[in-house]
Amino acid sequence: AVSDYYAIELMRFFQRQGLVIPDDISIVGFDGCRETSEITPKLTTIAQNNLLRAQAAISLLLKMIDHSETTENLSIPVKLTIGQSVRRLN
């Protein structure tokens, strides 16, 4: 899912439909929000460093305000946090 919040809502929807996560469907989120460990099963997510992302965004905005042309490509590291929402494939 594009975010953990969407992934959590998707999990709840599928559970209401009677599906078992991860037996019937695997779900992965993106963000690394704290709610991922508070649901059952715990959501597998790709966690990002929000502080680093915010700092990079502010830096680029300041350059834009100064009318500086920027063609920077940013790469912010992420980390896979394994929960129980993904079934292992053999």
Side-chain angles (χ1 to χ4, degrees):
V2 298
S3 76
D4 289 341
Y5 294 106
Y6 283 117
I8 290 168
E9 288 303 312
L10 192 60
M11 288 174 66
R12 290 177 179 150
F13 170 79
F14 285 135
Q15 288 169 332
R16 285 192 304 270
Q17 304 307 311
L19 295 174
V20 177
I21 301 166
D23 296 341
D24 297 320
I25 189 166
S26 293
I27 299 177
V28 177
F30 184 85
D31 285 331
C33 71
R34 67 182 149 91
E35 288 84 356
T36 60
S37 61
E38 298 172 0
I39 61 166
T40 302
K42 181 179 174 185
L43 179 65
T44 295
T45 185
I46 300 170
Q48 58 183 334
N49 184 326
N50 288 326
L51 177 62
L52 186 58
R53 187 174 71 154
Q55 289 171 338
I58 290 169
S59 175
L60 287 174
L61 285 172
L62 291 173
K63 287 179 183 178
M64 293 169 86
I65 289 169
D66 288 340
H67 304 290
S68 299
E69 272 197 43
T70 180
T71 57
E72 292 180 53
N73 288 320
L74 296 176
S75 178
I76 297 174
V78 295
K79 176 185 171 196
L80 177 63
T81 303
I82 298 173
Q84 292 88 35
S85 65
V86 174
R87 183 176 65 139
R88 180 178 286 281
L89 299 176
N90 296 329

